[in-house]
Amino acid sequence: MIALLLPALAVVVTLLLALGLASVAAGPGRQGRLASRGSLLLCALGGLLAVVQLLSGAEASSLSLGIGLPGLPLHLALDGLSAAFMLLLMLTGAAAAAAALDDHGQYDSTAPFFPVFLGGMALTLLAADGFALVLGFEVMSLASFALVLTNHRDAEVRAAALLYIGMAGLGAMCLIPCMALLAVGADFTFAAMRTHPPEGWRALAVLVLVLVGAGSKAGLAPLHVWLPPAHAAAPGHVSALMSGAMTKIALYVLIRVLFDLCGPAQPMGWGAPLVLLGALGAVLGGLRANMEGDVKTVLASSTVEHIGLIAIGLGFALAARAADLPGLATLAFGGALLHALAHGMFKALLFLAAGATQHAAGTRRLDRLGGLIHGMPKTTALVLVGAAGLAALPPSAGFAGEWTLFQAVLAAPRLGGLGWQVLACVAAALMALAAALAASAAVRLIGVAYLGRPRTPRAAAATDPGQPMLAALAGLAGASLLVGLFPGAALRLLGPAVQQAVGTGVVGHVGWLTISPQADTAGYTAPALAVVLGLAGGLVYFIVRRWTVSGERRGPAWDCGFGDPPNWLPFGDPVTQYGGASFAQPLRRALATSLMQARETVDMPLPGETRPAHMKVRLRDPADQYLFALIGSWRSRVSHFADFMQFLTIRSTLAVMFCALLILMAAVAALEQL
Amino acid sequence: MGGHLAFGTFSYDAAHLLGGGVLVLSFVLLYQRRLTAVINTYALQAVVLSAAAAWQAWVQDAPHLYLTAGITLAAKGIAIPLGMHRIVRQLQVNRSLESALGIFPSMAIGVGLVTLSILVVLPVTPQAQTLTREELALALSVVLMGLLMMITRRTAMTQVLGFMSLENGLILAAVSVAGMPLVVELSVAVLVLLAFAVFGVFFFRIRDRFDSLHLDNLDRVGGMHR
């Protein structure tokens, strides 16, 4: 029975890929429905198989298919690590497929790519040789590129997709040589790579290449610039899948290469770049999430932040494993994995809700939303569950993951050496800052978009989405709550993955109800905390109800201290509410002035002019400014040079050839003299 | 019949003299200030080349080289220079030339090119005959000088003359290597004749269009413009 799990999952992958073709054959009008329904069914099946694999102890099994390049048959394998990520992928995929059923026909044109996207990700997880891994990874990149282009008539969408495919190309350019460096002769199987871990410069090259190749896809700073625009450009269910699952698949590749294929004998220093880049991304992403004015860009920036937190955990796990501190390694890796799972749930939930909001209110801009809680009460309730995870409020899923990560980072000075101690302190401080920024971003998102009064008529007329979307949101919220209330159980479920990556299991640290930083001591007991918080909340509710007058009445909303409203707006102009930009201003002035080069310019009309005053804010991502602008200027220099060479005069062209000939001959002559 | 091509024998000296003559005439081509003088020098170079080919034919006992010598003399020594002179007369070309480099720099670069050729050719051919080695060095020098002339001169006619002088170097290399089949020389000669025909047509077209054979005019109509 257990031996059949891998073939069954392989069949699921094949069916997902075939479903793409089948839905093309179904023709326009019907392809969206077919792709979504089929994906939903297959994802549910795949998720079930992954759970069975994890529960049954995750015995590793492998399979060699007869197909592939000549002499290079595809190898598949299923073990604890891939099963853990498969579970996450299939859960998110099922929710996204259910949400896509509520699509109103607008995603029909690119619907066939949806199951292919899922199939590519699943193939990456099942891959047991370099070729299959790269194949799955690239299918995933290309299919998601097509999905991002769904609304291709919008120039912004096209620009975002172009940036995205460019970064995917960079990833491929790094990932393929990385696999070639790991390969043993012409043997690309992971089993052979494990027996010959890389050493010396090859090991360093593998580290750099996988950090760029997989890190760029995961959204690891400073290669995260594609992430906010691409997530904003894609339809809701696609960005949910990209943020919830695709970034995790990239992290899986990172883990597979760094923890598994490179062997346990690598130096401690390997963890440092992950910690540094993670801390950088966490703060930058958190700050950007407070500044952006588009709901999905806010969520995508927050993805950068959470990926940064997970990367910090992975970095410390790598260092602790090298330093032979199994307890710390388990804690750090377990925290990273738990947070990846939690983030996959609540961020997918928030992206789906953002898609529903965009459909209902006609916009994603914070300064045109507001008051959605009146028209979309069910959605708002579910979004609150996700936002609690985003803000890491106990007992949400986000809190469990971040708490475990914090425990690991606070124990990290045990790694020894001044360098690691300083690094751990800096990482802890930046993580705390990032967590606070995330909480602020969540409050801003809920407060501006869902509370208050509608800023536009369209926002006032928003209604809850259809049944499939609500079911997807409720499913993700339920899973997220379960992970939050029983993080111990979730981590036990993921235990085989931790065991495989760092060599020790989670059993000493994790009970079914608690997670402890040190074996067999007190720790975080989420259900107890939930009961206490519930009791306190109930008490407050009781007191409030007991001591206040019954019945409800609605008064005028506070208008931010503005003067008397005009007659045609008896409750004041909703646009004068405290908005997203107002909320961001203190943080922008305190932090972003130096970190993101935030500059404000006020355009004040002259006396007598009738136009309104404007305040413009300009923000720049440092990665954009220092890394990509620099690369862009090099690129244009190279192309200018090529241009110059192309338009040389006849005599100059001859002279160039003549000089090249002379240099060549001089080199030959010099070599002969030696 | 022919003597041995060993150092110090008369046949060696004569072959060397003729090859050196071709090279010296390349130097002469570099500093000519008048178009007719360039054409005449080119004709003289072709004549010396045909003499070198004939001498090689006798020394190597290879009768087909007499054919090469004949073709060179007839086509490049007589026909092409006559055609050039006719073009000059018909097109009323400005007969004074300007060079991008002065005489002294041209000569200095020429000497440098000869040195480079010797430094390149002599060490890489240690097992070949002495004469073959030195003739190859001379021929490579002539090729490079032809290229140099194409770069430093500014009108279309002198560029073509530079190209054909470069080709003289190729023929010199071909005849001085024993055992090179006639096909090579014949095809090179035919190629040059064809090239001359094409260039002639181009001269008339360029002249029609710009009233001058100055190449800077061509840069303005490079097709794709910035």
Side-chain angles (χ1 to χ4, degrees):
Chain A
M1 162 66 194
I2 300 299
L4 285 177
L5 282 176
L6 176 57
L9 271 174
V11 169
V12 168
V13 172
T14 318
L15 287 179
L16 276 172
L17 294 174
L19 184 59
L21 287 178
S23 40
V24 171
R30 284 207 304 266
Q31 57 189 18
R33 202 128 286 248
L34 178 62
S36 313
R37 280 190 183 151
S39 305
L40 178 58
L41 205 67
L42 289 170
C43 282
L45 181 62
L48 208 62
L49 292 171
V51 170
V52 171
Q53 165 79 0
L54 284 170
L55 284 179
S56 68
E59 192 89 7
S61 56
S62 60
L63 182 70
S64 174
L65 302 181
I67 53 173
L69 288 183
L72 271 180
L74 285 183
H75 293 84
L76 301 182
L78 184 64
D79 50 23
L81 198 56
S82 43
F85 280 90
M86 185 67 83
L87 174 62
L88 168 62
L89 165 65
M90 291 300 175
L91 276 179
T92 321
L101 279 175
D102 195 26
D103 70 341
H104 313 280
Q106 53 191 333
Y107 312 137
D108 201 56
S109 53
T110 53
F113 291 102
F114 186 72
V116 176
F117 183 31
L118 283 166
M121 289 197 275
L123 177 60
T124 313
L125 292 180
L126 289 183
D129 63 39
F131 179 69
L133 185 91
V134 170
L135 181 70
F137 205 78
E138 296 313 314
V139 167
M140 167 179 101
S141 291
L142 289 176
S144 53
F145 167 66
L147 287 167
V148 167
L149 268 176
T150 301
N151 301 314
H152 59 92
R153 290 190 210 293
D154 189 346
E156 252 177 59
V157 169
R158 290 199 299 272
L162 203 61
L163 179 62
Y164 176 52
I165 195 73
M167 291 301 282
L170 172 72
M173 276 195 314
C174 292
L175 208 55
I176 292 170
C178 174
M179 287 297 144
L181 277 177
L182 282 168
V184 184
D187 195 350
F188 282 90
T189 56
F190 287 172
M193 291 179 190
R194 282 187 199 105
T195 57
H196 291 82
E199 290 165 1
W201 68 267
R202 275 179 58 205
L204 200 62
V206 165
L207 175 66
V208 172
L209 287 173
V210 82
L211 275 180
V212 176
S216 65
K217 184 64 89 184
L220 199 60
L223 298 172
H224 63 275
V225 287
W226 63 270
L227 209 139
H231 281 61
H237 65 291
V238 175
S239 38
L241 205 50
M242 282 168 72
S243 178
M246 189 179 78
T247 54
K248 309 300 180 301
I249 303 296
L251 283 179
Y252 163 82
V253 173
L254 205 66
I255 294 170
R256 176 65 75 189
V257 170
L258 291 183
F259 281 80
D260 186 13
L261 300 182
C262 285
Q266 302 296 349
M268 268 174 80
W270 274 42
L274 272 173
V275 173
L276 281 174
L277 296 180
L280 179 71
V283 171
L284 257 184
L287 192 56
R288 243 186 112 167
N290 280 289
M291 304 291 136
E292 298 288 349
D294 179 317
V295 174
K296 279 167 95 179
T297 317
V298 167
L299 294 175
S301 305
S302 141
T303 298
V304 174
E305 182 230 330
H306 286 276
I307 292 292
L309 295 181
I310 297 169
I312 293 177
L314 292 179
F316 279 119
L318 208 54
R321 191 183 64 164
D324 208 13
L325 291 169
L328 179 55
T330 306
L331 200 61
F333 193 85
L337 210 55
L338 186 60
H339 198 53
L341 180 68
H343 181 250
M345 304 289 122
F346 70 71
K347 191 51 72 66
L349 162 63
L350 288 174
F351 266 115
L352 288 182
T357 305
Q358 181 182 8
H359 181 75
T363 179
R364 298 190 309 259
R365 298 190 51 80
L366 281 174
D367 55 10
R368 298 182 68 79
L369 292 171
L372 295 176
I373 193 169
H374 301 300
M376 309 174 76
K378 292 175 190 161
T379 312
T380 308
L382 295 168
V383 163
L384 273 172
V385 175
L390 190 73
L393 291 182
S396 73
F399 179 77
E402 284 193 26
W403 185 85
T404 318
L405 279 174
F406 261 110
Q407 293 303 325
V409 174
L410 292 178
R414 270 193 291 153
L415 282 168
L418 187 63
W420 277 103
Q421 288 177 353
V422 170
L423 190 61
C425 293
V426 170
L430 292 180
M431 270 175 82
L433 177 59
L437 287 173
S440 151
V443 171
R444 174 171 175 255
L445 185 67
I446 295 289
V448 175
Y450 292 90
L451 304 183
R453 284 184 302 141
R455 290 177 176 78
T456 54
R458 213 31 221 282
T463 51
D464 267 326
Q467 289 299 328
M469 175 66 97
L470 278 180
L473 291 176
L476 283 174
S480 171
L481 279 177
L482 272 181
V483 172
L485 282 177
F486 303 102
L491 206 47
R492 281 217 160 186
L493 186 65
L494 303 179
V498 182
Q499 166 88 36
Q500 195 195 345
V502 295
T504 41
V506 293
V507 175
H509 288 281
V510 175
W512 288 108
L513 296 177
T514 57
I515 304 177
S516 332
Q518 311 238 323
D520 306 320
T521 54
Y524 170 53
T525 312
L529 190 63
V531 168
V532 170
L533 283 173
L535 282 180
L539 192 65
V540 168
Y541 181 77
F542 174 76
I543 290 174
V544 168
R545 293 300 294 204
R546 177 70 186 75
W547 297 105
T548 52
V549 289
S550 55
E552 64 179 43
R553 84 195 139 85
R554 303 185 82 159
W558 180 59
D559 202 10
C560 216
F562 276 78
D564 286 339
N567 289 334
W568 62 91
L569 287 170
F571 303 111
D573 189 343
V575 180
T576 61
Q577 287 178 99
Y578 208 60
S582 348
F583 204 101
Q585 197 181 40
L587 270 174
R588 193 172 67 228
R589 291 194 172 159
L591 286 175
T593 312
S594 50
L595 268 178
M596 295 182 66
Q597 304 265 313
R599 297 286 178 271
E600 297 169 0
T601 44
V602 178
D603 173 27
M604 192 61 84
L606 295 169
E609 274 189 88
T610 50
R611 67 197 174 92
H614 279 289
M615 187 164 111
K616 283 198 178 120
V617 177
R618 192 187 51 120
L619 288 167
R620 274 184 165 169
D621 197 313
D624 231 349
Q625 190 181 358
Y626 295 115
L627 188 66
F628 284 80
L630 209 62
I631 293 175
S633 78
W634 286 346
R635 191 207 67 91
S636 56
R637 249 182 251 174
V638 168
S639 72
H640 273 136
F641 180 69
D643 221 24
F644 169 73
M645 292 298 286
Q646 193 182 355
F647 290 105
L648 282 181
T649 62
I650 299 172
R651 280 179 49 232
S652 318
T653 312
L654 282 173
V656 167
M657 283 160 55
F658 186 61
C659 290
L661 180 66
L662 285 191
I663 291 170
L664 209 67
M665 285 174 60
V668 170
L671 285 177
E672 290 298 331
Q673 300 299 321
L674 291 179
Chain B
M1 288 307 280
H4 288 286
L5 281 172
F7 184 72
T9 60
F10 173 67
S11 44
Y12 174 91
D13 287 343
H16 216 180
L17 174 70
L18 290 169
V22 174
L23 179 58
V24 167
L25 285 166
S26 276
F27 273 99
V28 176
L29 274 176
L30 267 186
Y31 70 84
Q32 291 306 318
R33 293 286 180 108
R34 295 182 62 77
L35 191 51
T36 44
V38 174
I39 298 172
N40 290 339
T41 313
Y42 170 73
L44 189 59
Q45 192 184 33
V47 170
V48 176
L49 178 66
S50 83
W55 182 251
Q56 288 284 352
W58 189 67
V59 168
Q60 290 179 18
D61 197 10
H64 65 265
L65 286 185
Y66 286 118
L67 189 58
T68 307
I71 292 173
T72 306
L73 185 64
K76 295 199 281 194
I78 298 165
I80 291 179
L82 282 180
M84 284 281 192
H85 278 299
R86 193 160 160 263
I87 290 174
V88 169
R89 274 198 308 279
Q90 277 203 351
L91 294 185
Q92 306 273 313
V93 181
N94 187 359
R95 301 198 186 177
S96 69
L97 295 178
E98 47 186 320
S99 172
L101 287 171
I103 290 180
F104 179 72
S106 313
M107 291 293 113
I109 293 176
V111 172
L113 291 178
V114 174
T115 316
L116 186 62
S117 310
I118 291 170
L119 282 177
V120 170
V121 171
L122 291 193
V124 297
T125 54
Q127 67 275 51
Q129 284 182 359
T130 321
L131 180 64
T132 309
R133 295 169 66 189
E134 299 192 350
E135 294 278 310
L136 274 182
L138 289 177
L140 185 57
S141 311
V142 174
V143 169
L144 291 180
M145 304 271 274
L147 266 175
L148 183 62
M149 186 170 160
M150 289 179 76
I151 294 168
T152 54
R153 298 299 177 117
R154 293 193 172 176
T155 66
M157 288 202 70
T158 40
Q159 280 215 320
V160 170
L161 281 164
F163 171 74
M164 290 197 288
S165 154
L166 176 157
E167 192 271 339
N168 281 346
L170 292 181
I171 297 282
L172 183 62
V175 297
S176 48
V177 177
M180 186 83 86
L182 180 63
V183 183
V184 177
E185 286 122 7
L186 277 181
S187 54
V188 170
V190 170
L191 191 73
V192 169
L193 275 177
L194 283 177
F196 179 68
V198 174
F199 285 136
V201 174
F202 265 104
F203 289 159
F204 283 95
R205 302 288 304 170
I206 295 172
R207 173 62 193 232
D208 278 355
R209 191 142 184 167
F210 301 113
D211 286 339
S212 158
L213 283 181
H214 222 278
L215 278 182
D216 294 351
N217 294 319
L218 286 184
D219 296 337
R220 285 195 289 110
V221 288
M224 295 189 291
H225 258 276
R226 272 178 281 181

